[in-house]
Amino acid sequence: MPEYVGSVLLLLCALQVKHLFGDFFLQTPKMLSGRCAYAHMGRAQHAGVHVIGSALVFLLFGAPLMFILILAVLEWAVHFHIDFGKARFSERKKLNPQQAMFWQALGSDQALHQLTYLAMAWAWVKYAAM
């Protein structure tokens, strides 16, 4: 097994913890209200919280600043649009927690975020890991 596998697993674990806090503990009422509008400042701030968290994680893992800056821009855009898609879909379908489709939308949203972290870990291994 390559020696960097342990580092990749630790990186993914750190991104998981960051995601837990960013998506479930650090959202403000402003971030949660009116999310189906595209130009939503709360969603932009929410994506920013994720970017700050990821930047801190990658700093801890010794990633170069330029790598972190590029990743930050990409993560912000991806996170913003994943959340917009879920919010728009949920509003159009008038979903609530008592409906299975609500949980399917939430699960799909979370899976897309997790796939984003896999892509970020791949980029770290390919371009930034020592």
Side-chain angles (χ1 to χ4, degrees), residues 2-130:
E3 60 187 62
Y4 61 83
V5 170
S7 296
V8 171
L9 292 174
L10 285 173
L11 173 64
L12 287 169
C13 182
L15 290 170
Q16 293 291 315
V17 171
K18 181 276 305 187
H19 186 80
L20 172 67
F21 279 90
D23 251 23
F24 296 101
F25 292 102
L26 298 176
Q27 289 207 61
T28 65
K30 180 180 182 178
M31 292 175 187
L32 293 168
S33 65
R35 293 175 59 96
C36 65
Y38 182 77
H40 183 260
M41 186 55 69
R43 183 177 28 266
Q45 292 170 347
H46 170 70
V49 166
H50 278 281
V51 165
I52 291 167
S54 293
L56 292 172
V57 167
F58 280 100
L59 278 171
L60 288 172
F61 279 79
L65 187 56
M66 187 55 67
F67 174 83
I68 293 171
L69 291 173
I70 292 167
L71 207 63
V73 170
L74 294 172
E75 183 186 12
W76 186 91
V78 170
H79 199 101
F80 181 93
H81 287 95
I82 289 170
D83 285 2
F84 172 68
K86 181 194 158 238
R88 187 73 180 241
F89 178 80
S90 296
E91 175 149 314
R92 284 185 177 169
K93 298 289 185 180
K94 304 206 182 312
L95 299 181
N96 65 63
Q98 286 70 45
Q99 298 170 297
M101 194 175 284
F102 172 90
W103 298 103
Q104 293 163 359
L106 177 65
S108 297
D109 168 85
Q110 293 301 301
L112 289 170
H113 291 311
Q114 299 312 313
L115 291 170
T116 301
Y117 298 136
L118 287 173
M120 291 164 66
W122 170 84
W124 178 70
V125 168
K126 179 128 176 99
Y127 299 109
M130 312 299 165

